[in-house]
Amino acid sequence: MGKIEWAMWANEQALASGLIYLTGGIVGVAGQFRGWQFAAFGVAAGVFVCLLEYPRSKRSKGTSVGRTGQYCFTVVVKAFGPLTRNYYVRAFIHAALCVPGGFMLATVLGCVCLGIASIIYLVAAIRGEHWEPILPRKPAQKPNVGSINKPPQNPPPRPPPETRRKRVEDLEGAAYDNAINVTADE
Amino acid sequence: MGNFAANEGLSIFVILVWLGINAYLFVNFYMAFLVDKWFYTRVLLGQALPWARAPAACLNFNCMLILLPVCRNLLSFLRGSIQCCSRTAARQLDRNITFHKLVAYMIAFHTAVHIVAHLFNFEYFMDAQLNRNSSLLTFKLSDIGNGDNASFLNPIRSNETNPTIVMFTTIAGLTGVAITLALILIITSSMEVIRRSYFEVFWYTHHLFVIFFIGLVFHGYGRIVRGQTNLKEHKLNVCAEHFEDWGTNSSCPDPTFAGNPPGTWKWVVGPMILYVCERLVRIYRSHQKVVITKVVMHPSKTLELQMKRKGFHMEVGQYVFIQCPSVSRLEWHPFTLTSAPEEDYFSAHIRIVGDWTEALYQACGGDKNETQEAWKLPKLAIDGPFGTASEDVFRYEVVMLVGAGIGVTPFASILKSVWYKRIQNNQDVFTKKIYFYWLCPETQAFEWFADLLQSLEGQMAERGVTDFLSYNIYLTRWKEAEAAHFRVHHEAENDPITGLKQKTLYGKPNWDNEFTNIASKHPGVKVGVFLCGPPQLGKSLEKQCLSHSEADVKFIFNKENF
């Protein structure tokens, strides 16, 4: 269990909680339940949590796979700097957002799930993790070797076939100078 | 198309049957709550009642099913029994985890419908208690049962409460919250990202299913969904209109209500017992003595373990689960078997990539230079073997085996087995020619497999049987410095990377050429093409098979999941 990045699981849990909070809120508002104001808050909080949690963080070790189309969300989340980078802040935000959900049955499940996500984020923050954006890698500067559209017109420089064929009778004569400089595989 | 039907037909049929049963249960239980017994309940709840009960029935069915695909040993026993009758049916049992996931998604879906419907139910029940107007039927119904507290209809008994409190004070509500939470935690930790990176989190959190099943069984004990019990005395067509006169008028006594006895346990008790047996079998198997006869450290961070266990019998291409109690008492990891059934031991090649494999390497004395004493080697437990035997390979006269990277592992078993069958047992093997393609991005991965190919090459040369196996190794990526080395050793007798007489080729194979070549060399036969590698390669091979299958030579693509 040593190498786990808790934030990854917290992220999945928070995204699921956002959806559940949102659904509970929609049901509460659409059904015009008592306390529908809490449900309306649940809708807004659910949407906010989903938007915040959709872009995955870059992993400190290993390859990171972003969710489909997360680039625009990454840019927005990144713009908030330390507020979104720090997981203590996230844990606090989730804890604060989940409280109003506890006042109405439709949003209770969203409240508890978001609370659990907040706890996992707290664990992640204590272990020193933070959010890193997954940005597309800039292609490395390729050395200018000319266009590759035109295939080479001439074959590569090689000694004629007679000299290339191995002549066991005359090993000395078979040796030739290689035109290209080669280095041994050290 | 025929290939597709042969490969996928049975799976699609099973899925359709499963969906059909779900639909049937849903509709059936929906209609069951539209009868007279539930008339007054529906006065309070409207259509939300059947909308809650129908997914509940589907949940019973799916929770029964979900434990079955993970009973590995039961499936393995079934596979052995079915295999003599139908290989396609046996192969379905290999897709058990896919089915487990499908059933899990269905459980999640039905849970969502069930919860939303019950949210409405709680709200309506509360409404009935709050609108305390005796001219409303809903209030009259809620008032029933105040005396003996047994024959009531509305489980919310007073107006000084709210749905949230009621939920936390009823058995159904508490168990419902607990099991839904367990389900959500199980699902979020089973996402592919988490599963592939942190298997421990996935595995330990998944054990919340114990809480899930216990809660599920007790979920109905409160009997809060109540139907009328005295339909004979209290006739609906006469009495429903005149609810003010109930009790006073002798022809219409108060309706009495009771809940159905809990029924979920009847659905899940069978699979629960089977699963308990499965875990007991796994514990028993883990105590069966497995002896490590040889440990080989390959340079490419690969550990080869040769083992023996009494009564172990395998087929080509199967896999086992290995547990090492000294490393971790709870983890079982799957590895493809790389030995042939004809050998007197079974072996697995384990790449060292994570915590568990690293610890296993240390336990086997990987970091020590001298050979380990046999008694110092760790105790192991083996579960298996599992997986459909890849015996299809032997049914073709000409075979193309394509393995990409580590996907070559099951082919080690196949190649060895074909060799043994052909040479040592003097059997007349149907398979006359094997074309083997190994695509690899780096040279390091060659080491142990190259040893195998070298020994096969040597044995073939000894017996003068050089045309049986034709193998082509493709190096798909290389560094500039390595390229220089290859250029210098271009003329060497043996390949500079693998040491084999067959030279390594660079880049990706030109499949068109390969297929055309093989088609021209073997007219009039069926060629089996087997792949273990990435799906894109599978797609391109499948296309090649279709385009090169002409009148006399047919390429049959086997999309086996090794």
Side-chain angles (χ1 to χ4, degrees):
Chain A
M1 285 267 230
K3 287 203 290 234
I4 175 172
E5 286 177 45
W6 291 99
M8 291 200 67
W9 185 24
N11 173 265
E12 299 288 334
Q13 179 69 15
L15 188 60
S17 313
L19 287 169
I20 295 170
Y21 213 1
L22 173 63
T23 313
I26 291 177
V27 168
V29 168
Q32 292 171 322
F33 290 175
R34 261 175 306 280
W36 63 269
Q37 294 89 342
F38 290 109
F41 177 82
V43 172
V47 171
F48 173 74
V49 167
C50 284
L51 291 175
L52 174 63
E53 296 294 338
Y54 190 73
R56 273 209 190 104
S57 166
K58 192 156 165 224
R59 290 167 61 174
S60 55
K61 256 190 289 188
T63 41
S64 318
V65 179
R67 295 197 175 96
T68 342
Q70 80 166 38
Y71 179 62
C72 21
F73 298 94
T74 312
V75 168
V76 172
V77 172
K78 181 166 167 264
F80 284 89
L83 278 182
T84 44
R85 203 178 125 88
N86 187 311
Y87 283 148
Y88 282 110
V89 173
R90 270 199 208 202
F92 177 73
I93 291 179
H94 289 324
L97 284 177
C98 83
V99 168
F103 289 96
M104 195 203 162
L105 185 59
T107 46
V108 155
L109 193 60
C111 159
V112 180
C113 289
L114 198 54
I116 293 179
S118 166
I119 293 175
I120 309 178
Y121 263 128
L122 189 62
V123 173
I126 292 174
R127 299 197 65 230
E129 297 171 25
H130 57 264
W131 188 84
E132 277 289 333
I134 299 179
L135 296 167
R137 256 186 327 170
K138 289 184 182 38
Q141 281 296 96
K142 289 206 177 72
N144 193 5
V145 287
S147 167
I148 54 168
N149 292 329
K150 266 178 41 177
Q153 307 288 61
N154 303 312
R158 274 211 194 110
E162 304 83 41
T163 35
R164 268 189 282 137
R165 207 173 305 122
K166 204 195 300 220
R167 297 192 305 212
V168 263
E169 340 81 13
D170 181 16
L171 279 175
E172 288 301 312
Y176 59 85
D177 274 328
N178 207 322
I180 310 164
N181 220 10
V182 291
T183 49
D185 187 38
E186 297 294 36
Chain B
M1 189 59 206
N3 208 16
F4 175 78
N7 273 330
E8 306 291 337
L10 190 53
S11 301
I12 296 185
F13 176 71
V14 167
I15 301 288
L16 285 176
V17 167
W18 170 67
L19 287 174
I21 297 181
N22 269 294
Y24 168 75
L25 284 171
F26 195 94
V27 171
N28 197 22
F29 275 79
Y30 193 96
M31 310 291 267
F33 281 83
L34 299 179
V35 299
D36 279 347
K37 180 176 174 194
W38 305 97
F39 176 77
Y40 286 124
T41 327
R42 282 200 315 281
V43 167
L44 287 187
L45 300 178
Q47 289 299 310
L49 171 69
W51 271 109
R53 301 307 305 155
C58 291
L59 278 172
N60 282 336
F61 174 61
N62 285 298
C63 290
M64 171 185 84
L65 286 183
I66 193 131
L67 281 177
L68 297 176
V70 286
C71 294
R72 281 200 300 261
N73 288 291
L74 168 69
L75 292 181
S76 165
F77 168 73
L78 273 178
R79 188 187 296 111
S81 331
I82 297 182
Q83 197 143 15
C84 34
C85 313
S86 160
R87 298 220 49 250
T88 329
R91 221 185 294 153
Q92 292 314 307
L93 294 172
D94 284 335
R95 305 218 175 122
N96 54 338
I97 299 294
T98 314
F99 189 62
H100 181 80
K101 286 192 229 176
L102 276 176
V103 175
Y105 289 139
M106 193 59 111
I107 288 181
F109 169 72
H110 281 301
T111 305
V113 177
H114 183 77
I115 292 181
V116 169
H118 272 318
L119 286 176
F120 279 94
N121 285 341
F122 269 81
E123 188 69 16
Y124 293 153
F125 274 145
M126 199 67 227
D127 273 346
Q129 283 288 6
L130 288 178
N131 296 335
R132 302 198 88 91
N133 185 342
S134 45
S135 66
L136 286 176
L137 176 56
T138 49
F139 177 59
K140 175 83 184 170
L141 286 170
S142 306
D143 227 13
I144 290 176
N146 271 335
D148 58 354
N149 235 4
S151 54
F152 57 86
L153 169 58
N154 190 336
I156 302 186
R157 303 304 310 143
S158 90
N159 62 341
E160 283 160 19
T161 177
N162 67 51
T164 314
I165 296 179
V166 172
M167 184 186 75
F168 281 112
T169 50
T170 49
I171 297 180
L174 265 179
T175 51
V177 170
I179 68 183
T180 311
L181 264 182
L183 183 67
I184 292 173
L185 283 172
I186 288 176
I187 291 181
T188 56
S189 64
S190 307
M191 293 277 114
E192 181 129 12
V193 207
I194 310 281
R195 215 170 64 232
R196 297 243 176 264
S197 321
Y198 315 116
F199 193 80
E200 292 89 349
V201 167
F202 156 70
W203 183 240
Y204 293 134
T205 320
H206 230 70
H207 281 78
L208 283 171
F209 76 86
V210 174
I211 298 185
F212 181 84
F213 273 92
I214 295 178
L216 187 67
V217 168
F218 285 106
H219 190 57
Y221 268 66
R223 306 189 190 207
I224 67 175
V225 176
R226 309 172 78 87
Q228 193 178 351
T229 46
N230 61 347
L231 278 167
K232 283 209 184 64
E233 294 84 13
H234 176 113
K235 293 200 174 28
L236 287 174
N237 46 1
V238 171
C239 302
E241 307 275 298
H242 316 284
F243 56 87
E244 293 98 348
D245 302 327
W246 286 349
T248 55
N249 195 338
S250 56
S251 60
C252 278
D254 273 345
T256 51
F257 301 94
N260 286 342
T264 304
W265 68 271
K266 295 180 202 153
W267 292 84
V268 298
V269 72
M272 279 167 81
I273 292 179
L274 278 176
Y275 190 75
V276 167
C277 291
E278 160 76 21
R279 294 301 281 254
L280 288 174
V281 168
R282 287 191 204 173
I283 292 177
Y284 166 71
R285 279 204 165 177
S286 68
H287 287 301
Q288 277 189 310
K289 205 163 146 75
V290 174
V291 175
I292 302 181
T293 55
K294 194 164 163 190
V295 177
V296 183
M297 302 293 177
H298 292 281
S300 47
K301 288 184 75 99
T302 306
L303 172 70
E304 178 185 350
L305 290 177
Q306 293 182 5
M307 300 162 273
K308 280 197 200 196
R309 191 185 79 182
K310 192 162 151 197
F312 187 84
H313 173 70
M314 65 169 278
E315 309 288 339
V316 288
Q318 290 194 307
Y319 63 95
V320 289
F321 280 82
I322 301 184
Q323 181 214 36
C324 187
S326 60
V327 169
S328 165
R329 305 215 53 213
L330 293 172
E331 292 177 46
W332 293 75
H333 293 269
F335 295 98
T336 311
L337 290 168
T338 46
S339 56
E342 288 84 3
E343 291 169 321
D344 61 350
Y345 60 87
F346 61 95
S347 71
H349 282 70
I350 302 171
R351 272 178 74 214
I352 300 167
V353 284
D355 281 347
W356 188 85
T357 40
E358 181 69 44
L360 184 67
Y361 175 71
Q362 309 273 358
C364 292
D367 39 359
K368 303 188 179 56
N369 275 333
E370 69 279 353
T371 42
Q372 285 282 85
E373 303 280 330
W375 58 269
K376 281 201 196 138
L377 289 171
K379 193 165 92 102
L380 284 187
I382 298 288
D383 199 8
F386 303 109
T388 316
S390 317
E391 280 179 340
D392 279 351
V393 170
F394 303 123
R395 283 168 52 201
Y396 294 94
E397 210 179 308
V398 177
V399 171
M400 270 177 82
L401 303 174
V402 181
I406 198 67
V408 78
T409 321
F411 293 125
S413 171
I414 295 176
L415 283 179
K416 278 199 242 186
S417 182
V418 173
W419 180 248
Y420 280 118
K421 278 192 167 67
R422 168 94 189 228
I423 295 301
Q424 292 191 351
N425 298 357
N426 265 338
Q427 278 175 24
D428 202 13
V429 186
F430 188 53
T431 313
K432 298 280 181 288
K433 176 84 184 172
I434 299 184
Y435 292 93
F436 181 63
Y437 296 87
W438 188 15
L439 282 62
C440 218
E442 41 149 15
T443 57
Q444 274 192 320
F446 283 103
E447 321 284 358
W448 67 269
F449 198 73
D451 287 343
L452 163 66
L453 287 181
Q454 238 176 1
S455 90
L456 278 181
E457 194 178 45
Q459 289 181 45
M460 288 197 300
E462 252 176 63
R463 293 164 204 270
V465 188
T466 40
D467 60 344
F468 173 61
L469 170 66
S470 146
Y471 51 88
N472 306 279
I473 306 175
Y474 288 84
L475 182 63
T476 51
R477 249 186 265 159
W478 57 87
K479 298 199 193 57
E480 199 55 46
E482 291 172 345
H485 181 74
F486 305 152
R487 274 204 292 271
V488 170
H489 289 94
H490 178 74
E491 294 292 320
E493 173 107 11
N494 289 354
D495 186 80
I497 305 171
T498 57
L500 293 163
K501 293 224 170 7
Q502 180 84 278
K503 290 298 168 62
T504 309
L505 301 149
Y506 303 101
K508 297 206 173 107
N510 185 333
W511 291 115
D512 217 15
N513 282 351
E514 300 294 329
F515 274 79
T516 318
N517 228 3
I518 294 176
S520 60
K521 283 208 194 118
H522 300 275
V525 293
K526 275 205 197 126
V527 181
V529 179
F530 292 81
L531 166 73
C532 186
Q536 306 95 297
L537 184 53
K539 286 201 182 71
S540 69
L541 280 179
E542 203 167 6
K543 262 191 258 167
Q544 293 288 345
C545 284
L546 290 173
S547 65
H548 283 90
S549 288
E550 286 135 8
D552 53 351
V553 64
K554 289 205 172 10
F555 288 93
I556 315 242
F557 184 63
N558 285 268
K559 206 164 59 163
E560 284 275 0
N561 182 17
F562 285 115

